[in-house]
Amino acid sequence: MTTEIKAMSLKHGAIVLVRHGEPNVSRKVTLSAAEYRAFWANYELLGLLPGQTPPRQLKDFVARCGTLVSSTRLRAIESAQALAGERAFDRHEMLIEAPLPPPRLPAWLKLSPRIWGFLARFWWWFFNHHEGQERRSEAEARADQAAAMLIGFAAGGETVVVLAHGFFNHLIGRSLKKLGWRLAESEGYKYWSMRRFERG
């Protein structure tokens, strides 16, 4: 086998991390910590807001990808289905979002879900507030495992598209960078956005 052919055979495909579409939940409320805890538990069960149309560019991209996978959360599964139609894809528990247990602040304090989400992530990340759920160190280890899995999928040279979640996609991206991958393109972390990683 020539050096050129060897190099071609070792070339990985890209890994594209996509955030799911908008979930079917209203954030136009104010909640106590306990109410936000129930809000997040319900959010984890919900699918997509009806009537959404995925970006055409992303849909065309998914049609050309070699491997499509999603997390096992309904909002991720429905997003993958909206992009892929009848195409089969695997679901992986490893790709679910990291938990968001809110800090135990006074019951009279009412905040929007967006602010509670920020506070919960801050407390979880910096103060290890987990309420018996997954810890930061455990989520980072899971992200390392997910990155290794995706690199395996990409090893044959085909592009891999992942339908998962904003923060856990961020953790996977950090893991990919540690393993020598670079961020080649990013649309941020909004719904339906994608971040493309390539072998460095």
Side-chain angles (χ1 to χ4, degrees), residues 4 14 25 41 90 92 103 105 113 117 127-128 145 148 151 159 166 168 173 184 191:
E4 182 179 355
V25 63
D90 289 336
H92 295 274
L105 298 180
F127 300 115
N128 198 31
Q145 293 171 351
I151 289 171
T159 294
F168 196 69
Y191 298 127

Side-chain angles (χ1 to χ4, degrees), residues 5-162:
I5 294 175
K6 283 183 179 179
M8 289 175 62
S9 67
L10 295 175
K11 182 176 175 59
H12 285 69
I15 295 173
V16 181
L17 306 177
V18 180
R19 189 183 181 193
H20 57 75
E22 184 176 356
N24 189 17
V25 63
S26 173
R27 290 182 171 81
K28 297 178 180 179
V29 292
T30 55
L31 307 167
S32 67
E35 289 167 340
Y36 178 75
R37 194 172 290 106
F39 173 93
W40 177 256
N42 183 55
Y43 178 92
E44 285 283 72
L45 301 175
L46 296 172
L48 293 183
L49 185 69
Q52 289 185 73
T53 303
R56 169 53 58 183
Q57 180 182 1
L58 180 58
K59 199 164 185 176
D60 291 344
F61 190 81
V62 168
R64 299 192 303 271
C65 78
T67 301
L68 174 66
V69 296
S70 83
S71 105
T72 54
R73 296 298 189 230
L74 184 58
R75 60 191 185 276
I77 292 170
E78 289 186 351
S79 296
Q81 290 170 335
L83 288 165
E86 298 301 316
R87 177 180 175 181
F89 58 92
D90 289 336
R91 289 94 155 149
H92 295 274
E93 185 79 15
M94 190 187 302
L95 300 172
I96 65 171
E97 183 61 289
L100 273 176
R104 296 186 178 278
L105 298 180
W108 53 261
L109 183 64
K110 300 275 190 172
L111 301 170
S112 71
R114 186 177 302 277
I115 294 175
W116 275 122
F118 170 80
L119 291 175
R121 184 62 71 215
F122 185 88
W123 254 254
W124 179 82
W125 186 261
F126 291 104
F127 300 115
N128 198 31
H129 176 74
H130 57 84
E131 297 186 352
Q133 301 178 63
E134 185 178 48
R135 300 169 184 263
R136 170 183 168 179
S137 60
E138 294 169 334
E140 289 177 311
R142 178 163 62 90
D144 288 344
Q145 293 171 351
M149 176 183 72
L150 298 174
I151 289 171
F153 293 157
E158 295 183 325
T159 294
V160 178
V161 176
V162 183

